Amino acid sequence: MDKNSPPDWDPRSEAVLNDQMTTYDDMRHRCPVAHSRYGYTSLFRHEDVMRVLKDHETFSSAVSRFPSVPNGMDPPEHTVYRRLIEPYFSPEHMNAFAPTCRDVAVRLVQALPGEGTTELMGDFAQIFALQIQCAWLGWPADLHEPLRLWTLKNHAATLARDEAALSAVALEFDGYIKDLLAVRRTDDNAAPDDITTSLLRNQSLGRSLTDDEIVSILRNWTVGELATISASIGILTHYLAANSGLQQQLREHPALLPAAIDEILRIHAPLVMNRRVTTKQVTLGGRTLAKGSRLALVWASANRDEAVFGNPDEFRLDRDPELNLLYGAGIHVCPGAPLARLELRIVMEELLGRTSQIALVSDREPVKAFFPASGFSALPLQIQKPSSRAL
């Protein structure tokens, strides 16, 4: 982008922040490859995003100044670490974790009041995301509150583009993980048999992982999990509260939930964007981008592209799952997708199965989350539980 050229849009303007999805829909038609004053070129069309995802040689994932294993790596380095982490999301691991996941979901749904107004994000979604992530990694319950506060600080620093604050937040997280690793080393053979201990003992690279490598892997998993799982629960529950017929259909036929969850999260993405950088000059959407151009792949727009999905707001259970970019595509497709799908399916099964109605509150509007987050920061709902049935 010519430094003297005016930007095509301002992703942090009040108009965008007040209604991200409508803005992205507009940009997809008006300026599908758009420069901003923040140094990123945003891609809004499904076709352009897919081109980037499938060409990792031209569009590098090495965009962060912090180590990012393996998200921020390119082959061949990425291939080695990807092979290391994929077994943790195997069907065997998911089946073994499912009972624990259900126990957490059941306990939190049971704790919801059976009448009156519930603020779903703070009273349920964020708590579930924290507890389920700690349960999966084998982290103690006394990390729940520090991680909750850490998530808020991380989001605030990201929103403010405060480099000093981002560095401090990263160091704080590193400290939590290194403390956990130190305890496990001290305990040696008595250390808990969990994923964190497994990473510490992993020898698939022909050596032990360094603390920095383990911290990076766990940071990537945790940041993504805490933000997207809580956002997804809010988006799903809000959609079902606004569509009572579908809510009842899924309550009566929970086998439809996996496809329904992916479709609702296609309509309203829990993750707004992801980044890449060009390794050479390239043309996208008729615009020539220099080597080193930073790109923002706007999932929230690409997954609503009329050229691929027709009416983007139409809910359909028969869509081709290969077109849905909810978990990305190509070599960087989200390795944690099986875990996310398991957690969202179970939590929605329990939320629907243990309630008789979930409804919006007429006199209290949901509060939309601010970029770079998606979904809702506050979601007041009326939740009714059947009184005649033991839960």
Side-chain angles (χ1 to χ4, degrees):
M1 175 182 177
D2 188 331
K3 292 183 179 180
N4 298 317
S5 300
D8 298 309
W9 77 310
D10 182 356
R12 297 175 185 270
S13 70
E14 184 175 353
V16 173
L17 296 179
N18 285 339
D19 195 345
Q20 294 184 69
M21 297 304 165
T22 297
T23 301
Y24 301 153
D25 288 347
D26 174 64
M27 291 299 296
R28 194 168 55 249
H29 299 101
R30 183 171 64 81
C31 188
V33 179
H35 302 309
S36 81
R37 66 185 180 90
Y38 301 104
Y40 279 88
T41 298
S42 298
L43 307 183
F44 294 94
R45 295 188 305 196
H46 192 280
E47 176 185 7
D48 293 329
V49 170
M50 282 296 289
R51 177 183 168 189
V52 170
L53 295 176
K54 292 183 176 181
D55 184 359
H56 55 267
E57 294 182 355
T58 304
F59 305 98
S60 169
S61 294
V63 296
S64 176
R65 63 190 182 90
F66 299 108
S68 184
V69 181
N71 308 39
M73 294 176 167
D74 298 317
E77 189 179 31
H78 167 268
T79 307
V80 174
Y81 286 98
R82 178 77 183 216
R83 190 179 301 126
L84 181 149
I85 68 171
E86 282 186 338
Y88 291 101
F89 303 98
S90 68
E92 292 77 18
H93 274 78
M94 296 303 97
N95 290 336
F97 182 61
T100 300
C101 182
R102 193 168 298 278
D103 287 344
V104 174
V106 168
R107 176 167 43 80
L108 292 178
V109 172
Q110 288 177 330
L112 290 172
E115 56 184 21
T117 300
T118 295
E119 200 292 280
L120 191 86
M121 299 310 298
D123 294 345
F124 183 80
Q126 293 165 1
I127 297 172
F128 176 83
L130 274 168
Q131 293 191 8
I132 207 66
Q133 179 68 358
C134 287
W136 185 61
L137 293 174
W139 294 355
D142 59 15
L143 263 183
H144 292 172
E145 183 61 11
L147 280 177
R148 186 186 72 82
L149 296 175
W150 178 84
T151 303
L152 296 175
K153 286 185 282 188
N154 184 61
H155 178 68
T158 302
L159 183 62
R161 300 169 65 84
D162 185 333
E163 295 297 329
L166 284 168
S167 295
V169 168
L171 285 174
E172 179 182 342
F173 186 87
D174 292 2
Y176 293 140
I177 304 308
K178 289 180 179 179
D179 287 346
L180 289 170
L181 296 180
V183 169
R184 282 162 167 74
R185 286 194 177 100
T186 299
D187 291 345
D188 196 17
N189 292 333
D193 183 18
D194 56 34
I195 287 178
T196 303
T197 301
S198 176
L199 286 171
L200 191 61
R201 297 172 177 169
N202 193 299
Q203 294 289 319
S204 62
L205 298 182
R207 60 169 175 83
S208 298
L209 292 168
T210 67
D211 280 8
D212 286 343
E213 288 170 328
I214 296 174
V215 166
S216 180
I217 291 169
L218 293 175
R219 186 194 302 118
N220 279 330
W221 287 351
T222 303
V223 173
E225 180 84 356
L226 296 182
T228 56
I229 290 298
S230 59
S232 295
I233 293 170
I235 291 166
L236 292 167
T237 311
H238 176 268
Y239 191 90
L240 296 181
N243 295 272
S244 58
L246 176 62
Q247 177 186 151
Q248 191 57 31
Q249 181 186 13
L250 295 178
R251 187 175 278 115
E252 295 171 358
H253 304 284
L256 298 176
L257 269 170
I261 288 169
D262 279 9
E263 174 68 351
I264 294 169
L265 297 180
R266 178 200 64 77
I267 294 171
H268 186 165
L271 181 64
V272 174
M273 53 156 277
N274 196 237
R275 299 179 295 165
R276 295 290 191 275
V277 61
T278 58
T279 60
K280 60 185 178 182
Q281 180 176 295
V282 65
T283 300
L284 277 170
R287 304 191 85 154
T288 300
L289 305 176
K291 177 182 178 180
S293 295
R294 293 184 292 172
L295 304 179
L297 315 184
V298 186
W299 312 116
S301 172
N303 251 358
R304 294 176 53 82
D305 193 334
E306 294 84 353
V308 176
F309 301 104
N311 177 0
D313 289 309
E314 181 185 6
F315 175 88
R316 289 176 49 183
L317 291 174
D318 62 346
R319 295 191 187 276
D320 181 353
E322 294 298 317
L323 299 175
N324 191 334
L325 297 177
L326 174 59
Y327 296 103
I331 66 168
H332 285 282
V333 65
C334 178
L339 178 64
R341 286 191 163 109
L342 172 76
E343 293 172 351
L344 293 175
R345 174 180 62 80
I346 287 178
V347 75
M348 295 310 296
E349 283 177 355
E350 296 302 332
L351 193 55
L352 291 174
R354 295 173 182 273
T355 61
S356 55
Q357 185 181 33
I358 302 171
L360 300 175
V361 178
S362 60
D363 59 347
R364 289 180 58 187
E365 290 290 324
V367 179
K368 294 178 180 178
F370 279 113
F371 179 89
S374 184
F376 305 92
S377 60
L379 180 56
L381 294 173
Q382 294 277 356
I383 295 180
Q384 295 181 7
K385 295 180 178 179
S387 57
S388 61
R389 158 179 166 200
L391 298 178

